[in-house]
Amino acid sequence: MSLIKRPKGTYDIIGEDVPFWHHFENKAKESARVFGFEEIRTPILERTELFKRSVGDETDIVQKEMYTFDDKGKRSMTMRPEGTASVIRAFLENNLMSLGLPQKVFYMGPMFRYEKPQTGRYRQFHQFGVEIIGSASSKADTEIIWQAKYLIESLHLHNYNFQLNHLGCSSDRKKYKDALKEYYQEHYDSLCEDCKVRYENNILRLLDCKKPQDEELKEKAPKMTDFLCDHCSSEYQEIKRELKQLSIEFEENPFLVRGLDYYTGMVFEVKYPYADTVLDILGGGRYDHVISELGGKDIPAVGYACGIERILAIMKEEEVEIKVKPLSEIFVLGMCEEAEAFVMKIVRFLRRKGISVEHDLMGRGLKSQMKYASKIGAKFTIIIGNEEINNGIYVVKDMETGNQTSVESSWIENYIMDKLEE
Ligand code: HAM
C-alpha cells in the first residue's frame, strides 16, 4: 500500500525543530507579558462572512486563498487565513468591551492560505499576533511597533528593517486612489496582466507588484503621504516622533499598502534578508473600521502579526543559539532481570521529584542501553546489576566525562539531585 503524504504547503514539526518552536513560543509569550497583553484563543473555523467583511472581498486572500467549504449544515465555513478578524469577532461576541478599554490581547496558532508554496510561504503557517482594541491614540500605534521590536530583539535577530507608512483617512485614500488611477491609466498597456485586474478592482494593490516593469513604474507613482489631510499628517508625525524618542529605527515607505483591506492609518512591516530573497516577517497597522463593519460600535484598533516559520528559518540561518535541554536527564540501566525492580524503584522516585528519567523499554542488552542513553543526551546513567544489588551500591556514570562513581543505594536519590543542581 502506498504511503499517504502530508498536504502540499504543510510540514511536520519534529525532532530538532521542536526546541526552536518552544523557544519562540516562550519568547513571544514573554514579550506579550512584558507589554501587558493577555492571551486569546479563537476557533480555527469561522463563518466565511467574517473574513469577507473584514479582510475585504477584493483581496487576494478572500478571492483566491481561503480554504472555504460548506459544512454538513450547508453553512459556508473558512479555516482562518489570519487572526485579527477572529479576535474582533470574539471581542464583540463576548462583550469584552464591558471589561473596559483598551483590550490588549495576543494569539498564536495556525493560519491557512491557499498560496503557491515557496521560500517562507506555506499553506498552513503559524502567526503570533497582538492587538490593542479601543485606543485611537498614536501611543497605541507606537506601543504595537515597540512590542514587535522587543520580540525581534529578544530573539537575537539583527538585520531587520522596519518600514512605515500612513494610509490616511477614507477621504485621503479616495484622493490617492484617484491620483493613482490617473497615473497608471497612461501606463495601462505596460502593466502585467494581474495589475490590469488590480487597476480595475483594487488599485492600491498595484503598488505591491514585484514584477520588474511594475516596480519601475512605481518609482514615479504618486505617494500616499502627499495626500494626507492635516489630521492624518500630524498623527503620522506624532508616531514617528514617539518612535524616534524610543530609538526605534524605521524607514518610511510611502508605497507600503499591505495585503488586507482593513487598514486605515499607520501601517508597518518588518523585512529581513533571507537566502536570495527578502522576507516579510511581520506586518500590521491600524484598522479603525473593522469593529463597526462587523456590527459593533465605532471602536479603533491596531495590531500586527508575525510569521513564525519565517522567523525560525532566519534564526537558523543566523545560527542563533538556543538552549536545548536534553529530553531525559537520567537513564537507569538494568544489567539483568533481577535488577528490574530496583530500576523501577529509582525511576519512580526520581520521576516523583520531577526529574526526567528513562529506562529500557526494548529488552536491550547493556551495550545498546548505554548507546541509547547517550543518544537521548542523558547526563547520568545509573547502572544496576547483580553485584550492585548484592553490595547495595549503584554505579553512576557521568555521560559527559565518562567517570564512574559508586554510590550507596540509599544515597542514590540525594546524590543525583545534588549532581543535577551543580
Ligand atoms: P499578513 O501580512 O497577511 O497580516 O501576515 C502577517 C505575517 O504572516 C507576514 O508578515 C508573514 O510573516 C506571515 N505570513 C503570511 N502569509 C504566510 C504564508 N503563506 N506562509 C508563511 N508565513 C506567512 C495579517 O495577517 C494581519 N492579520 C496582521 C495584523 C494584525 N494586522 C493588524 N493586526
Side-chain angles (χ1 to χ4, degrees):
M1 233 190 297
S2 63
L3 288 178
I4 298 166
K5 299 229 169 110
R6 60 176 185 259
K8 199 172 163 188
T10 69
Y11 56 90
D12 303 302
I13 302 169
I14 49 170
E16 287 173 6
D17 284 343
V18 175
F20 275 90
W21 280 83
H22 289 167
H23 180 80
F24 178 87
E25 285 158 7
N26 292 337
K27 291 286 179 190
K29 281 185 193 158
E30 178 60 9
S31 70
R33 187 191 66 77
V34 169
F35 282 74
F37 287 87
E38 211 178 333
E39 184 168 9
I40 183 167
R41 298 187 191 195
T42 61
I44 283 167
L45 271 187
E46 295 276 5
R47 301 278 189 131
T48 304
E49 193 62 18
L50 175 67
F51 303 109
K52 286 192 172 182
R53 269 164 59 183
S54 52
V55 174
D57 240 340
E58 296 300 336
T59 55
D60 280 356
I61 294 181
V62 171
Q63 289 277 317
K64 306 184 206 159
E65 296 169 3
M66 294 206 304
Y67 280 86
T68 296
F69 59 93
D70 282 349
D71 72 3
K72 290 198 165 64
K74 303 255 178 301
R75 286 169 289 254
S76 179
M77 306 298 284
T78 292
M79 289 164 76
R80 63 179 185 196
E82 60 106 51
T84 309
S86 303
V87 166
I88 298 305
R89 192 227 5 94
F91 169 83
L92 291 170
E93 195 164 349
N94 297 290
N95 192 22
L96 297 184
M97 173 102 175
S98 65
L99 302 176
L101 296 177
Q103 283 294 309
K104 295 164 73 184
V105 295
F106 81 88
Y107 52 90
M108 197 154 27
M111 309 290 160
F112 303 83
R113 294 184 194 175
Y114 192 83
E115 291 189 87
K116 198 166 167 220
Q118 60 184 53
T119 310
R121 188 185 288 166
Y122 301 93
R123 290 183 175 170
Q124 175 175 338
F125 60 99
H126 296 73
Q127 283 185 344
F128 165 78
V130 301
E131 315 286 351
I132 299 180
I133 305 169
S135 170
S137 162
S138 60
K139 283 205 186 114
D141 300 68
T142 308
E143 183 88 343
I144 283 291
I145 298 175
W146 189 0
Q147 202 282 339
K149 162 113 189 233
Y150 182 96
L151 171 62
I152 294 173
E153 285 200 327
S154 74
L155 294 166
H156 299 293
L157 300 179
H158 303 288
N159 291 326
Y160 54 85
N161 168 236
F162 274 76
Q163 298 202 350
L164 198 64
N165 193 19
H166 197 293
L167 298 181
C169 51
S170 45
S171 73
D172 298 347
R173 271 194 306 283
K174 186 177 175 315
K175 281 182 209 147
Y176 182 52
K177 282 181 187 170
D178 289 346
L180 280 180
K181 278 243 159 172
E182 209 179 303
Y183 172 77
Y184 278 109
Q185 195 169 31
E186 280 175 37
H187 306 282
Y188 185 84
D189 291 338
S190 50
L191 290 173
C192 74
E193 288 312 305
D194 281 345
C195 280
K196 282 182 178 152
V197 178
R198 290 178 187 130
Y199 179 88
E200 300 300 338
N201 297 338
N202 197 349
I203 187 120
L204 288 181
R205 307 291 310 144
L206 262 174
L207 302 172
D208 242 7
C209 186
K210 301 281 179 296
K211 303 239 167 64
Q213 80 259 32
D214 294 322
E215 287 261 29
E216 217 180 291
L217 273 179
K218 187 170 77 178
E219 275 169 31
K220 296 207 179 89
K223 295 185 171 70
M224 179 69 235
T225 32
D226 292 333
F227 291 80
L228 296 180
C229 63
D230 287 351
H231 175 266
C232 291
S233 179
S234 67
E235 184 181 87
Y236 191 30
Q237 296 302 332
E238 186 54 22
I239 296 169
K240 289 188 283 185
R241 192 192 63 73
E242 288 169 21
L243 290 175
K244 281 183 189 148
Q245 198 177 37
L246 289 164
S247 306
I248 297 176
E249 283 174 27
F250 59 87
E251 200 177 279
E252 285 184 66
N253 176 355
F255 299 119
L256 182 69
V257 288
R258 309 272 300 123
L260 302 92
D261 275 356
Y262 50 56
Y263 294 106
T264 48
M266 178 282 294
V267 286
F268 76 110
E269 274 180 1
V270 179
K271 314 262 180 199
Y272 212 105
Y274 174 75
D276 53 359
T277 179
V278 175
L279 289 178
D280 291 335
I281 58 169
L282 185 155
R286 184 164 277 287
Y287 52 98
D288 285 350
H289 302 317
V290 173
I291 298 174
S292 55
E293 291 286 328
L294 293 176
K297 290 188 183 154
D298 217 2
I299 298 172
V302 57
Y304 82 82
C306 64
I308 303 180
E309 286 78 3
R310 295 185 185 183
I311 291 183
L312 293 185
I314 289 165
M315 281 173 66
K316 285 186 188 160
E317 169 138 310
E318 295 219 342
E319 296 178 0
V320 172
E321 276 189 30
I322 60 164
K323 269 197 192 143
V324 183
K325 258 186 130 187
L327 210 52
S328 295
E329 293 168 299
I330 308 287
F331 187 82
V332 186
L333 188 157
M335 294 208 287
C336 53
E337 249 183 79
E338 298 79 68
E340 201 44 37
F342 294 86
V343 169
M344 295 311 240
K345 200 173 136 220
I346 297 179
V347 167
R348 188 173 57 180
F349 182 85
L350 294 175
R351 282 184 177 162
R352 279 185 177 161
K353 297 273 177 200
I355 295 170
S356 52
V357 191
E358 283 194 59
H359 59 110
D360 178 48
L361 302 177
M362 302 293 289
R364 285 179 172 137
L366 169 69
K367 253 189 167 170
S368 341
Q369 282 193 58
M370 199 52 101
K371 245 190 183 167
Y372 181 79
S374 76
K375 192 184 114 195
I376 61 171
K379 286 190 191 151
F380 298 99
T381 298
I382 302 172
I383 303 165
I384 307 170
N386 262 333
E387 209 178 311
E388 283 76 12
I389 297 167
N390 294 337
N391 299 335
I393 283 178
Y394 299 154
V395 173
V396 179
K397 180 171 177 180
D398 182 324
M399 299 299 280
E400 208 179 288
T401 60
N403 292 342
Q404 299 204 10
T405 317
S406 297
V407 182
E408 249 182 69
S409 60
S410 54
W411 272 98
I412 191 78
E413 300 93 356
N414 298 19
Y415 179 82
I416 288 294
M417 305 276 277
D418 286 351
K419 277 282 174 198
L420 288 178
E421 268 171 27
E422 267 173 20

